[in-house]
C-alpha cells in the first residue's frame, strides 16, 4: 500500500483527491480505537458515486469537511484479520453498503440496514457517510471492511467476476436498493408500476421491476436525458417538468389514472411538478405516489430522507418533518416500506442472475468507468443530471471490454 488516496468532501460543491492513511484493522471514532481482527483490507476494484453521496456534497447534510466518501465498494482481499475464517486473500468481493455485525437481533432477523452494534449513535452504519458510525469511505485505493465473514459476498470465480464487473459493481447498493424498492412495493407478474426518479437508483429500480415481471413500468423525472435512458430499456416515461398532473399522464398510458405499485427513488430534495418544477417541495413525491397508487397498493421508499438538512426549505424540513398527507395513504390502505435497503437479502440472488446472463443492469444504468483522479469531475457531471452511473476504477483493473 502506502499510496492510498481518497475522495474527500471539502465544502458544499467541492470534493478533491487527498492522500490518506493506509487502512488498518481498527477503527478510530471519537478518540477511541476499536480493534477489527474480524476485518479485511481490500484493494479497491471498483467504487461508485451514489446520489446519497451527492446530498452530502451539495451541503444538504451535516457531513463534516474532510470525510472520505464512498459506500459502493467492490474489492480484492489483500490482508485478512486473525479472526476471519472463510474469506480468503485474493477473493474479489462485493461489499454491502450497510455495515453489519451479524450478531445483534436485527442482523439475525436479516434487517442488516439497522444493525445495532456498528454505530454508537443510532441503528445502522455505512462507509463514508454522515452519522453512520465513522467508518472510512471506499472511494479510495484501499479500505478496511469489518466483520468480513458476515459482510462480504465473495464472487465464485475471479475471471468471471472481472468480465462482468460493470454489472457486479452495482451489487453493493443501487441494484439491491432499486430491487428492494420494487419488492417491498409488491411488484410482481403483471404489475403496473410508477417509479419516481430516473437517477441511477430509479433506473435500477425500473430494471428490477422488469426482472420481477411488471407489465408496464412508468418512470417520472425532470431531466429528459435520464428519461431517454429509461426508455432505452422499455420503460414508459413522463417529463414532470412539463406535466404537472401525474394522474392524468398515467391515465394516458394505462387507461386508468393509477398504478398497482409505486416507488420513491427521489427522496428529500424533491421538487414540484409542472409549473412548480423549479421549487423544492420535499413532500411532493410521497404525496403524489399516494395519489396515484390504487387502493391496497404498495409504496416502496428507498429514496433518502434525513433527520438533519441544513438547506431545508423551512424549519420543519431542516429536521426531516414534512407535510405528508398520511390520511390519504391510510384511507387507501397503502403499505409503505422505508429505510436503508438490507443489501444481504438480495445481493447473492442478483449476483447469480448477473453471472448467468439473466440480468444486465450496467446497460440499464448506463455505467461509465472513470479514474480516481476524475472523480471530482464525475461529481460535477452527476450534479448536472448526467444520465450515467459513474464507476471509479482506482487501479485500472476493469477490463475495457467487460460485459
Amino acid at each position: 500500500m502506502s499510496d492510498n488516496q481518497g475522495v474527500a468532501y471539502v465544502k458544499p460543491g467541492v470534493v478533491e483527491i487527498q492522500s490518506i492513511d493506509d487502512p488498518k484493522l481498527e477503527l478510530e471514532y471519537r478518540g477511541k480505537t476499536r480493534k477489527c481482527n474480524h476485518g479485511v483490507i481490500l484493494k479497491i476494484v471498483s467504487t461508485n458515486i451514489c446520489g446519497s453521496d451527492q446530498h452530502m456534497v451539495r451541503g444538504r447534510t451535516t457531513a463534516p469537511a474532510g470525510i472520505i466518501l464512498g459506500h459502493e465498494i467492490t474489492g480484492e482481499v489483500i490482508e485478512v484479520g486473525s479472526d476471519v475464517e472463510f474469506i480468503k486473500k485474493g477473493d474479489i468481493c462485493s461489499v454491502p453498503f450497510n455495515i453489519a455485525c451479524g450478531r445483534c437481533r436485527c442482523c439475525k432477523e436479516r434487517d442488516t440496514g439497522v444493525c445495532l452494534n456498528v454505530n454508537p449513535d443510532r441503528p445502522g452504519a455505512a462507509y463514508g457517510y454522515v452519522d453512520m458510525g465513522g467508518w472510512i469511505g471506499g472511494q479510495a485505493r484501499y479500505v478496511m471492511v469489518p466483520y468480513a465473514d458476515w459482510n462480504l459476498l465473495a464472487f465464485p470465480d475471479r475471471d468471471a467476476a472481472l468480465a462482468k464487473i460493470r454489472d457486479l459493481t452495482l451489487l453493493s447498493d443501487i441494484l439491491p436498493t432499486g430491487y428492494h424498492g420494487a419488492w417491498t412495493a409488491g411488484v410482481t407478474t403483471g404489475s403496473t408500476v410508477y417509479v419516481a426518479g430516473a437517477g441511477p437508483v430509479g433506473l435500477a429500480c425500473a430494471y428490477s421491476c422488469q426482472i420481477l415481471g411488471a407489465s408496464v413500468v412508468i418512470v417520472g423525472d425532470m431531466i429528459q436525458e435520464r428519461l431517454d435512458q429509461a426508455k432505452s430499456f422499455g420503460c414508459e416515461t413522463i417529463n414532470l417538468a412539463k406535466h404537472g398532473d401525474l394522474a392524468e399522464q398515467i391515465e394516458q398510458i394505462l387507461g386508468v389514472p393509477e398504478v398497482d405499485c409505486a416507488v420513491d427513488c427521489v427522496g428529500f430534495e424533491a421538487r414540484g411538478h409542472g409549473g412548480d418544477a423549479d421549487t423544492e417541495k420535499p413532500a411532493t413525491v410521497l404525496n403524489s405516489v399516494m395519489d396515484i397508487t390504487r387502493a391496497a397498493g404498495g409504496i416502496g421508499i428507498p429514496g433518502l430522507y434525513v433527520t438533519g438538512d441544513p438547506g431545508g426549505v423551512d424549519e420543519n424540513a431542516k429536521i426531516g418533518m414534512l407535510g405528508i398527507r398520511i390520511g390519504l395513504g391510510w384511507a387507501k390502505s397503502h403499505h409503505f416500506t422505508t429505510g436503508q435497503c438490507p443489501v444481504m437479502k438480495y445481493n447473492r440472488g442478483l449476483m447469480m442472475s448477473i453471472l448467468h446472463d439473466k440480468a444486465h443492469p450496467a446497460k440499464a444504468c448506463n455505467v461509465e468507468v472513470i479514474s480516481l483522479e476524475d472523480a471530482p469531475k464525475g461529481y460535477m457531471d452527476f450534479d448536472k443530471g448526467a444520465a450515467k452511473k459513474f464507476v471509479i476504477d482506482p487501479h485500472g483493473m476493469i477490463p475495457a471490454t467487460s460485459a
Side-chain angles (χ1 to χ4, degrees), residues 81-101:
S82 59
D83 292 344
V84 178
E85 295 187 67
F86 306 112
I87 294 295
K88 304 300 182 187
K89 187 175 179 179
D91 286 347
I92 295 181
C93 305
S94 180
V95 185
F97 78 92
N98 332 100
I99 301 172
C101 72

Side-chain angles (χ1 to χ4, degrees), residues 61-119:
T61 72
T62 56
I67 187 173
I68 301 302
L69 302 170
H71 55 269
E72 300 190 10
I73 305 166
T74 306
E76 178 183 1
V77 178
I78 61 172
E79 182 179 339
V80 179
S82 59
D83 292 344
V84 178
E85 295 187 67
F86 306 112
I87 294 295
K88 304 300 182 187
K89 187 175 179 179
D91 286 347
I92 295 181
C93 305
S94 180
V95 185
F97 78 92
N98 332 100
I99 301 172
C101 72
R103 296 154 169 80
C104 70
R105 174 179 178 173
C106 287
C107 284
K108 289 180 178 180
E109 294 180 359
R110 300 185 73 198
D111 292 320
T112 53
V114 282
C115 173
L116 302 176
N117 289 331
V118 288
N119 184 346

Side-chain angles (χ1 to χ4, degrees), residues 174-189:
I174 70 160
L175 182 56
T177 292
Y179 191 94
H180 176 66
W183 178 267
T184 57
V187 177
T188 187
T189 306

Side-chain angles (χ1 to χ4, degrees), residues 198 203 206 210 219 225-237 364:
L203 294 171
Q210 294 178 342
V219 180
E225 181 185 358
R226 289 181 167 184
L227 293 171
D228 291 343
Q229 180 62 27
K231 191 175 294 186
S232 74
F233 59 93
C235 299
E236 300 288 340
T237 61

